[in-house]
Amino acid sequence: MSRIYERLSTAILEGKIDRMPNLVQRALDQGLPPKDILDKGMVPGMDEVGARFRRGDMFVPEVIRSADAMQAGLGVLRPRLSESGVELLGKIVLGTVKGDLHDIGKNLVGMMCEGAGFEVIDLGFNIEPDAFIVAIKEHQPAVVGMSALLTTTMRAMGYTINAIREAGLQDQVKIMVGGAPVDAEFAERIGADGYGSNAPAGVELAKQLVGAV
Ligand code: B1M
């Protein structure tokens, strides 16, 4: 395997944001296929970040640096991926539900999903059910992800799912939820398709929901 893949993976793991664009450019200059640069170099780095975060061997600030390194590399790689007609895993519309201003965990989920190969449309925080519906119609995502950090706002996830159902859109998208007060039982009760306990689990779930694993 090309040594450059290992270097890309390590640079992501170590959060070397400034080094990534150069490394990706060097890999492209060597004639390596953009999809291999992603799958053999960058994604394994991000997978390892997820594994370490789950084990408690990496913490939020380090994960954010790694995700930023991934983004820096994707900045160079993305145009080449689309030129070569590589299909990303699908689109995810993501937002923190109405009434809730917490977005750190949601951002982490978004960055890691992007790192895994999804196109993420991040609506932000305090997102009304209607705004989710508008985004589903506009972007046609495979997955809608909702985050809530307050026991008072987790109910808004249920309202949002109801609104999506009433708009006749539930068959078009899979819905995943997460956030500290949420659990699998609650997710099932409100009719979500799945629950992610943390960002790596959210990524795995999103992959399952689009049939990528
Ligand atoms: Co607030 N806050 N906060 N807060 N805040 C909590 C959540 C709280 C637990 C603190 C406490 O009292 N101990 C408490 C909630 C209590 C409850 O509801 N039971 C609380 C409160 C009460 C409040 C206010 C009401 C305080 C007030 O004004 N009186 C207020 C509410 C504002 C509002 O939202 N309307 C408020 C405000 C704020 C700040 C704005 C100051 C700030 C948010 C800044 C921001 O997000 N940009 C803030 C913060 C920072 C926190 C704590 C300290 C940290 C949250 C965080 O970012 N964690 C939090 C206490 C705590 O958790 N220790 C607290 C790190 C983040 C990486 O984890 O978000 O859980 P988390 O995300 C995880 C998983 O949950 C999961 O993956 C992430 C990564 O592993 N995940 C998903 C999250 N979303 C997912 C989606 C998925 C899948 C996985 O799929 C779609």
Side-chain angles (χ1 to χ4, degrees):
M1 194 209 285
S2 171
R3 169 123 175 76
I4 193 102
Y5 293 142
E6 212 178 297
R7 297 184 67 187
L8 281 162
S9 186
T10 305
I12 285 172
L13 198 52
E14 293 177 353
K16 305 286 188 200
I17 300 165
D18 296 342
R19 199 179 294 167
M20 280 303 289
N22 257 335
L23 274 178
V24 171
Q25 191 56 54
R26 217 181 302 163
L28 288 167
D29 293 344
Q30 287 179 16
L32 296 169
K35 177 88 165 75
D36 285 1
I37 297 172
L38 184 66
D39 290 347
K40 297 182 183 173
M42 296 165 71
V43 171
M46 215 52 213
D47 283 347
E48 181 59 22
V49 170
R52 289 188 188 189
F53 183 53
R54 251 192 305 252
R55 290 201 301 269
D57 292 339
M58 264 179 105
F59 300 98
V60 170
E62 298 160 283
V63 175
I64 290 176
R65 277 194 74 76
S66 289
D68 283 347
M70 184 81 189
Q71 298 290 341
L74 280 174
V76 177
L77 195 64
R78 200 178 281 115
R80 299 293 295 272
L81 280 171
S82 39
E83 269 168 32
S84 54
V86 169
E87 290 270 330
L88 293 177
L89 287 181
K91 290 185 192 172
I92 299 184
V93 160
L94 197 60
T96 302
V97 293
K98 185 177 176 196
D100 200 318
L101 307 179
H102 297 85
D103 67 354
I104 298 169
K106 182 265 299 167
N107 292 346
L108 206 51
V109 173
M111 287 188 281
M112 293 192 76
C113 282
E114 202 161 69
F118 285 95
E119 181 182 343
V120 176
I121 296 117
D122 188 344
L123 303 181
F125 54 82
N126 191 20
I127 302 302
E128 300 267 354
D130 275 357
F132 278 100
I133 288 170
V134 169
I136 294 169
K137 288 181 177 163
E138 182 183 342
H139 299 287
Q140 307 282 322
V143 179
V144 171
M146 290 177 221
S147 181
L149 260 286
L150 299 173
T151 43
T152 47
T153 57
M154 59 196 279
R155 281 175 298 171
M157 290 175 158
Y159 304 147
T160 305
I161 291 176
N162 282 342
I164 292 172
R165 195 177 290 136
E166 279 162 19
L169 296 169
Q170 203 178 18
D171 292 343
Q172 289 181 32
V173 289
K174 299 285 183 193
I175 297 172
M176 68 176 196
V177 294
V182 178
D183 61 20
E185 193 262 312
F186 175 77
E188 198 181 333
R189 186 147 39 93
I190 61 172
D193 296 293
Y195 152 75
S197 56
N198 54 37
V203 173
E204 280 313 303
L205 173 62
K207 286 189 194 165
Q208 279 169 26
L209 292 176
V210 299
V213 284

